[in-house]
Amino acid sequence: MLATFTKRLKKMDWVLNISALILIGIGLLSIYSSSLGKGSFFNFYKQLMFLGVGLLLMFVVSFGDWKIFTQDPYLILFLYLANLIALAGLFLFAPVIKGVKSWYRLGPVSVDPIAPLKLILIVLLAKFFSMRHVEMYRVKHILLSGFYVFLPALLIFFQPDLGSVLVIGLLWGLILILSGIKLRHFLALVLIALLVLAVGWNFLLQDYQKQRVMSFVAPKLEPLGAGWNRRQTKIAIGAGGWLGQGIGQGSQTQYGFLPEPQTDFIFAATAEELGLLGISFMLVVFGVFLGRILKVGMKAEANFARLFCAGFASLLFVEIFINVGMNLGLLPVIGIPLPLVSYGGSSLIMALVGVGIVQSIKVNS
């Protein structure tokens, strides 16, 4: 048994593991620094606890067999339905936090069912399309896969959490492209999406959601309102210069001018204190991290394994792109954390479980 354990341990992609730990370490450093300004290290200690749970689950999943997802379709269906129930339960049992019902409160810990949903959708869609990749010309397969995405997206939209709906929609679109959707079908979906956005803007979006978009288009109209966050992130990033102001020395971060320095705007907080070199290093590590996931997928023989790795990398890329874009003022603020770096147990644990599945594919291929 020890020999088998050692053999599996050696077969792991340790560049993937180490790059993940480096990103988590950068996040912990930034969370610790912003905790200095708040005078409370509660979130920092909780993040350490989440890291312990996440690493444990990552290694447990790594030594499991990913083929269970292809051999037992009822397991995927069970996880999907259980997550739908958890999302629906938010409307009854979740408190209103920052204007949305997105978390269950379990004592000092908040549980976000959207984080596991993203991973479950990747598994479900990878299973769905791996069985139908030669029939992607059939519209019914596209519509059925869209139905799987539509149900949770609808529940999330009415929380309301528009940012997560956007991420899930983009994830579905990218997996469709990777699965070989025809160009005319893809263009038709884009047209439908634009029509839905037009209808949503006029009849479904709440005023504060419209304000976030308008503050992105014309931030000077609301310098102390919805545009405030964008102005402060730009100041923080600009103040960092090449080498940064030092850990615990960033004025925007330490004196509370930078909103949400541990979650949505941790990129700006890191830029202020570690500088351009610091965030450049972080982005390079992200590139290595995503590249190793794609490498495992490309070397896998099974369609499910390839689609899962591509879907997981796509999800992380979308979240990185949106978060960095928000911090740089290139995209509206829609509350998407920076994977592995931002504070948040659900996001961190699910990212590490995803890494565990990738490692299982690497070990068992």
Side-chain angles (χ1 to χ4, degrees):
M1 181 176 290
L2 180 61
T4 302
F5 175 81
T6 304
K7 183 179 179 181
R8 285 174 170 262
L9 206 61
K10 288 181 178 178
K11 286 190 69 176
M12 279 189 178
D13 188 330
W14 281 98
V15 175
L16 175 62
N17 286 345
I18 293 170
S19 58
L21 289 174
I22 290 173
L23 293 168
I24 293 169
I26 293 172
L28 285 171
L29 188 63
S30 185
I31 294 168
Y32 175 84
S33 177
S34 56
S35 297
L36 290 171
K38 291 184 176 182
S40 171
F41 294 89
F42 188 53
N43 285 350
F44 175 75
Y45 293 132
K46 282 202 297 182
Q47 192 74 348
L48 287 176
M49 180 189 71
F50 298 144
L51 174 59
V53 174
L55 288 176
L56 176 63
L57 290 175
M58 186 192 83
F59 279 101
V60 169
V61 173
S62 297
F63 289 109
D65 191 347
W66 63 270
K67 295 184 183 69
I68 189 174
F69 294 122
T70 60
Q71 297 168 351
D72 187 357
Y74 294 106
L75 173 62
I76 303 175
L77 184 61
F78 170 76
L79 293 173
Y80 176 75
L81 292 176
N83 203 265
L84 284 182
I85 293 171
L87 288 172
L90 289 170
F91 295 100
L92 298 175
F93 304 110
V96 178
I97 302 176
K98 298 178 183 178
V100 298
K101 286 191 168 188
S102 295
W103 302 275
Y104 289 104
R105 293 287 297 190
L106 300 176
V109 178
S110 297
V111 179
D112 175 14
I114 297 176
L117 168 72
K118 296 172 185 175
L119 199 58
I120 291 169
L121 279 179
I122 295 172
V123 172
L124 189 153
L125 292 174
K127 168 70 173 176
F128 184 87
F129 288 122
S130 66
M131 297 175 62
R132 298 168 176 85
H133 67 283
V134 297
E135 296 184 340
M136 279 305 295
Y137 62 90
R138 293 178 181 266
V139 176
K140 68 177 184 179
H141 296 325
I142 299 172
L143 295 178
L144 183 55
S145 69
F147 179 74
Y148 287 131
V149 175
F150 173 75
L151 288 180
L154 186 66
L155 292 172
I156 295 169
F157 179 83
F158 286 108
Q159 290 179 3
D161 185 351
L162 187 61
S164 294
V165 173
L166 177 63
V167 169
I168 291 171
L170 289 173
L171 174 64
W172 176 54
L174 287 171
I175 293 180
L176 281 175
I177 293 172
L178 294 167
S179 300
I181 186 175
K182 287 183 176 268
L183 179 60
R184 66 175 183 271
H185 293 160
F186 178 73
L187 294 177
L189 288 176
V190 171
L191 179 60
I192 293 171
L194 292 175
L195 291 174
V196 170
L197 287 174
V199 173
W201 177 267
N202 288 290
F203 301 105
L204 297 176
L205 291 189
Q206 299 186 18
D207 289 339
Y208 81 92
Q209 292 171 324
K210 292 182 180 180
Q211 287 176 358
R212 287 181 177 181
V213 177
M214 291 306 298
S215 71
F216 164 69
V217 177
K220 293 182 179 180
L221 294 179
E222 292 187 278
L224 299 178
W228 169 262
N229 293 351
R230 295 180 67 248
R231 291 173 60 85
Q232 298 310 309
T233 57
K234 286 185 176 182
I235 293 172
I237 293 172
W242 282 96
L243 300 177
Q245 297 185 8
I247 298 300
Q249 303 299 317
S251 57
Q252 294 293 113
T253 301
Q254 298 302 320
Y255 296 117
F257 293 105
L258 182 65
E260 304 297 339
Q262 298 185 347
T263 52
D264 295 354
F265 299 108
I266 197 169
F267 180 85
T270 304
E272 183 181 32
E273 298 196 339
L274 297 183
L276 180 61
L277 291 179
I279 57 173
S280 296
F281 172 73
M282 180 172 68
L283 292 175
V284 168
V285 177
F286 265 126
V288 173
F289 179 68
L290 296 178
R292 300 303 291 194
I293 295 173
L294 292 174
K295 183 178 180 180
V296 171
M298 287 187 291
K299 288 190 173 182
E301 296 181 358
N303 288 329
F304 172 87
R306 288 196 293 265
L307 279 175
F308 176 83
C309 290
F312 185 49
S314 297
L315 170 66
L316 296 172
F317 175 79
V318 166
E319 292 186 332
I320 294 166
F321 181 83
I322 292 176
N323 182 274
V324 174
M326 286 181 348
N327 279 258
L328 294 176
L330 302 175
L331 294 174
V333 178
I334 54 175
I336 300 299
L338 191 59
L340 297 174
V341 179
S342 290
Y343 167 79
S346 300
S347 175
L348 176 61
I349 291 171
M350 284 305 107
L352 289 173
V353 169
V355 172
I357 297 175
V358 174
Q359 293 288 14
S360 176
I361 292 171
K362 173 72 166 56
V363 170
N364 293 287
S365 295

